[in-house]
Amino acid sequence: NGAVNLGDAAADLVTIQGPVTVMNTSSITVQGAFEADGAIKLGDTAADLLTINGQSSFVAGSTFTIGAYFTGISSFSNVANVHFAGGTAGQVLKKVAGGGMVWGNDATGLTALGTARRLQMVNDTNDGLINSMFIQNAGDTNITMYAASSMTILGAFEADGAAKMGSTLDVTGATTLSSLLVTGNAQLGNAITDIHGVNGAPEANVALAVHGESTDSTKYAAKFYSNATLAAWIRHK
C-alpha cells in the first residue's frame, strides 16, 4: 500500500514469478529496457487508451485485429508484414481533409517525365470518351500523338492552326475548304469517270467543269503557262 524499492544499483536484477496487478489509479515507470518473454495484455475494454510518446495511439473502439495488424514478425521497416483492411490491389492510402486516410487509385505514373505513358479515358459506361477533350501545352510548340493503326474522330475536327499530314489524307465524305494550297503534286480523281468542278459544282459527264467570273471578254476562265510564258488561255469572245 506504500512505496516499494527493489534494488539500489543499476546492476540489481529483480525476478517476479506469477501475476502482478497494478490498480488503475497507480502507474509503473520503466527507465531502462523492458522485456516480456510472454504475452502482454494492454487493457481489457474497448474504452481503454494506450498512449505512446504523449500521443493517444488508440482511442475507444480501436482494434488492431480489424483495422491494421502484422502478418509476420512485426517490423514497420518491413511493410510487407503490415496489413491494412479495405482497398483493392494497386490502390494507395491518401490523406483527406481532417487528417484521415482513404484508399484511392495510384496516379503517380501519369506525372512521370521522360517515360512514355499510355493514357486511356472512358466514360461511366465504358464505351469511349464521348465528351470533348482539351489539351494545352504551354511549354512546347508541338504535341505528338501516336496510334497503333488509326485515330477515329466521330464528330467535327477543327484545326485553328496549320495541319500537317505526314501520309495520305483520305476523306470519304464531302469536304469544304475555304482555301487550299498544294505545294507538291496533286491528283484529282483516280478514274476517267470522275467529275470535278472549279468555282462551281461538277457536271455530269464532264471531266472538268471550270466556271469563269463572267462573260466579260477581258476576264479569263483559265490560263495555261509553259514555264513563265503564257501558252494558251480560255475566255469569252
Side-chain angles (χ1 to χ4, degrees), residues 8-74:
D8 56 2
D12 294 338
L13 301 178
V14 178
T15 300
I16 299 176
Q17 295 180 343
V20 176
T21 301
V22 179
M23 303 302 294
N24 59 5
T25 57
S26 304
S27 63
I28 295 178
T29 301
V30 180
Q31 295 180 346
F34 174 76
E35 179 181 349
D37 293 333
I40 298 177
K41 180 180 180 182
L42 301 175
D44 56 2
T45 65
D48 292 337
L49 302 180
L50 173 63
T51 301
I52 300 176
N53 293 337
Q55 299 296 322
S56 178
S57 300
F58 294 91
V59 297
S62 298
T63 175
F64 239 137
T65 60
I66 297 179
Y69 56 87
F70 295 104
T71 59
I73 299 176
S74 61

Side-chain angles (χ1 to χ4, degrees), residues 127-237:
D127 60 358
L129 187 66
I130 61 174
N131 293 321
S132 62
M133 178 179 66
F134 177 74
I135 301 177
Q136 182 177 10
N137 189 2
D140 299 327
T141 57
N142 299 320
I143 295 178
T144 304
M145 300 179 65
Y146 295 93
S149 57
S150 63
M151 180 175 64
T152 302
I153 301 176
L154 299 179
F157 173 75
E158 178 181 350
D160 294 331
K164 180 180 180 181
M165 305 296 175
S167 184
T168 302
L169 175 62
D170 185 7
V171 181
T172 57
T175 302
T176 301
L177 301 175
S178 59
S179 62
L180 176 64
L181 172 62
V182 180
T183 59
N185 297 331
Q187 175 181 329
L188 298 177
N190 58 2
I192 60 175
T193 57
D194 293 335
I195 56 177
H196 310 278
V198 179
N199 295 336
E203 301 178 27
N205 302 318
V206 178
L208 179 64
V210 180
H211 298 259
E213 181 179 356
S214 68
T215 58
D216 188 344
S217 61
T218 63
K219 296 182 179 180
Y220 296 84
K223 283 185 177 183
F224 301 90
Y225 292 85
S226 177
N227 199 352
T229 302
L230 181 62
W233 63 89
I234 300 176
R235 69 181 179 185
H236 189 73
K237 291 184 179 180

Side-chain angles (χ1 to χ4, degrees), residues 70-76 78 81-82:
F70 295 104
T71 59
I73 299 176
S74 61
S75 173
F76 276 107
N78 185 3
N81 290 335
V82 184

